[in-house]
Amino acid sequence: MSKQSNPMNQAARRWNNPWLILGNVSVGTFMSTLDGSIANVALPTIAGSLHAELHVVQWVLTAYLLTICATLPVMGKISDMFGRSRIYNIGFLIFAVGSALCGLSDTLGLLIGSRILQALGAACLMSNSQAIIAEVFSSKGRGRAMGITGTMVSLGSLTGPGIGGILVEHLGWTSIFWINVPIGVLGFIAGWFILPKDRDRKAAQPFDYTGSVLFMLGMVAFLFVISGGQDWGWMSPAVLLGGGLSLAVLVLFYVWEQRSRHPMLDFSLYRIPAFAIGNLTALLSFVALFFTNVLMPFYMQDVLGFTPAKTGYTMMVYPLVMAVVAPVSGWLSDRIGSFTLTTAGLLINALAFGLLNTLSTDEAAWMVGLHLGLFGLGGGLFQSPNNSSVMGSVLRDRLGTAGGLNALVRNIGMVLGTSLSISLYSSRLGAVRPYAPGEREAALSALHTVFWTAMAICLLALLVSVQRRRTKPRKDSMPA
């Protein structure tokens, strides 16, 4: 019986509606990014419930982010070898099991271990979401679809604290994990029927175990040092030694990969101009944008005296505006290309950081929300076309690796933005406090330094991004 007449293949094709696939991928994307921040507001409650110190409970967050950053490229490579849909769908199941174990945890050690398992599932989802979308949508619809997945990333990353606060207040801290279980199970069942069937693959390449171990060790050590630098002191022996050793391991990883016949991370992707420019621009953009995500709550609560609820509702303006703009931006990128939109988005973000420095110690919530809305506009204009440009520049059989690297860049940007903004704010606050008329004025002055720095990072990203105008599409990249 031929493949064309096989009833099973005909049924599979009926299920492979691109928009149903996008819906399934959007659920996984939202769920996996949401859990990177949903536990923030629950940490004090978890500390009290499990009788642990707050600085130790912080590992509930740190372990999740470090595991994702360490395993994203590995999962991307595994997906290219064994099938993107298969690994993505397994991610739903692992995430659901990890979430259930988090909800059942009665000790901090079990909770952290369960979060690591949950993060492995999230890495399966994150590394394949963009790759699946890039494969099932032609160039005419890819930007619009990337816009919707970009919206899910932003909504998940930025609405976590608000959703987490509501759940913790009304249903207890375990509810932030239990809510994932039915979603993950339903996502797995739907994905079994909806996701495109992986093509039969020839003998898989040998897996690069040495390279994978070196990458995970180096990346975890590097991000661990960056995350703890403010507490230990940036010039302390722990930071200098740990940072030096982690960079040495990453250099060793690079040398190994260059000599390996079957590398875990294909550095040749960075010889594709659109891929390299898009990834570097995205890294700088996320570093800058997480300056606002971390420090605007400090401004609203410590300077303006907003309640946590009022702060949360005001912060929601950012992702809501982005949710409207990103799909439209993706749709436009299919018609006019990515250059104009990414340039406009980064310019608006730089302008928005400059305008934050005009805010005073007495502002209404609507005014702060208006400023945050500009970031939603800029981020929405930038991210969807940038993602479409990156994923559209690579060969089909390397989409998993490319998607993993793209998600890795995003998560590293979040970690770096969080650490650098807090460090800069704390050091500047200590410097200006003796000369400021009051604590609120000192905090505002320190925030201005942070926002000017973020503006400079945005402008640097803009200088990198405009180079894409000189690039030409690869003839062997994703087909239209």
Side-chain angles (χ1 to χ4, degrees):
M1 182 180 291
S2 67
K3 289 185 178 181
Q4 285 75 15
S5 60
N6 189 325
M8 290 297 293
N9 284 316
Q10 292 175 2
R13 285 197 299 273
R14 285 197 300 270
W15 278 105
N16 289 168
N17 182 305
W19 295 103
L20 290 177
I21 294 170
L22 176 60
N24 185 267
V25 168
S26 295
V27 170
T29 300
F30 178 79
M31 187 174 66
S32 57
T33 53
L34 178 75
D35 268 59
S37 60
I38 195 172
N40 291 23
V41 294
L43 292 185
T45 306
I46 294 173
S49 175
L50 300 181
H51 310 290
E53 296 292 332
L54 191 58
H55 72 276
V56 180
V57 174
Q58 185 72 26
W59 274 96
V60 172
L61 301 178
T62 305
Y64 185 83
L65 292 174
L66 290 184
T67 301
I68 288 176
C69 289
T71 57
L72 272 170
V74 178
M75 293 302 181
K77 180 63 176 180
I78 291 173
S79 301
D80 282 340
M81 293 172 62
F82 300 107
R84 282 181 279 278
S85 294
R86 182 179 295 113
I87 300 301
Y88 177 87
N89 217 28
I90 289 173
F92 265 126
L93 209 54
I94 295 174
F95 195 90
V97 171
S99 297
L101 291 175
C102 286
L104 292 170
S105 297
D106 56 1
T107 66
L108 185 59
L110 180 57
L111 178 58
I112 292 173
S114 301
R115 282 284 277 177
I116 291 174
L117 179 62
Q118 192 185 40
L120 290 173
C124 292
L125 295 167
M126 289 182 181
S127 63
N128 289 290
S129 58
Q130 291 181 350
I132 292 172
I133 295 305
E135 188 170 19
V136 300
F137 280 86
S138 69
S139 60
K140 294 181 180 179
R142 190 180 303 133
R144 184 180 178 190
M146 288 289 183
I148 294 173
T149 56
T151 299
M152 293 300 107
V153 169
S154 301
L155 287 176
S157 302
L158 300 173
T159 60
I163 295 174
I166 294 171
L167 290 173
V168 170
E169 182 174 346
H170 296 289
L171 299 173
W173 68 266
T174 58
S175 63
I176 64 176
F177 301 115
W178 282 116
I179 193 174
N180 295 320
V181 176
I183 298 174
V185 171
L186 290 174
F188 172 79
I189 295 172
W192 185 269
F193 295 99
I194 292 173
L195 293 178
K197 303 304 177 186
D198 294 308
R199 297 175 179 178
D200 293 333
R201 296 172 184 264
K202 298 178 180 179
Q205 298 177 359
F207 186 71
D208 183 11
Y209 292 101
T210 302
S212 299
V213 171
L214 287 173
F215 176 82
M216 288 189 286
L217 287 176
M219 185 57 65
V220 168
F222 175 72
L223 294 178
F224 179 73
V225 169
I226 292 294
S227 299
Q230 174 60 32
D231 295 330
W232 306 332
W234 289 105
M235 299 305 294
S236 66
V239 170
L240 294 177
L241 181 60
L245 288 175
S246 64
L247 290 175
V249 173
L250 289 173
V251 170
L252 181 60
F253 162 73
Y254 175 77
V255 173
W256 173 270
E257 294 296 279
Q258 292 294 88
R259 297 180 178 180
S260 175
R261 293 182 59 190
H262 303 289
M264 184 276 290
L265 198 160
D266 189 355
F267 282 98
S268 67
L269 287 174
Y270 289 100
R271 290 198 286 269
I272 303 172
F275 185 86
I277 291 170
N279 270 271
L280 180 55
T281 307
L283 174 66
L284 294 170
S285 176
F286 271 97
V287 169
L289 290 177
F290 259 69
F291 276 39
T292 59
N293 197 43
V294 173
L295 290 181
M296 282 305 288
F298 280 85
Y299 168 68
M300 285 185 271
Q301 294 186 59
D302 295 347
V303 177
L304 300 181
F306 287 5
T307 65
K310 190 175 182 179
T311 299
Y313 287 127
T314 307
M315 287 292 293
M316 287 290 288
V317 175
Y318 183 167
L320 289 177
V321 172
M322 194 167 189
V324 174
V325 174
V328 177
S329 174
W331 174 77
L332 283 173
S333 73
D334 292 331
R335 285 153 178 78
I336 65 174
S338 61
F339 176 79
T340 301
L341 295 164
T342 53
T343 301
L346 291 171
L347 275 174
I348 291 172
N349 281 338
L351 173 64
F353 276 116
L355 290 175
L356 285 182
N357 290 295
T358 65
L359 295 176
S360 67
T361 56
D362 184 21
E363 299 287 353
W366 68 267
M367 178 59 73
V368 179
L370 189 62
H371 283 70
L372 290 175
L374 277 178
F375 288 103
L377 174 61
L381 287 173
F382 168 77
Q383 286 191 30
S384 305
N386 190 65
N387 287 338
S388 182
S389 173
V390 167
M391 298 303 293
S393 68
V394 302
L395 294 169
R396 184 182 295 274
D397 62 358
R398 290 194 285 179
L399 282 172
T401 300
L405 287 173
N406 204 22
L408 173 65
V409 161
R410 182 175 69 238
N411 282 274
I412 291 177
M414 293 177 185
V415 175
L416 291 177
T418 299
S419 302
L420 293 178
S421 62
I422 291 176
S423 178
L424 183 59
Y425 174 75
S426 299
S427 60
R428 184 60 181 164
L429 183 61
V432 303
R433 186 176 275 148
Y435 309 102
E439 190 65 27
R440 293 197 306 159
E441 288 76 13
L444 186 61
S445 178
L447 286 168
H448 284 173
T449 300
V450 173
F451 295 145
W452 284 125
T453 303
M455 182 180 179
I457 295 173
C458 262
L459 292 175
L460 177 59
L462 178 62
L463 289 176
V464 175
S465 183
V466 295
Q467 300 304 311
R468 76 178 76 226
R469 191 170 193 175
R470 303 177 182 178
T471 65
K472 295 180 180 179
R474 285 170 54 102
K475 294 180 180 180
D476 57 348
S477 61
M478 280 290 297

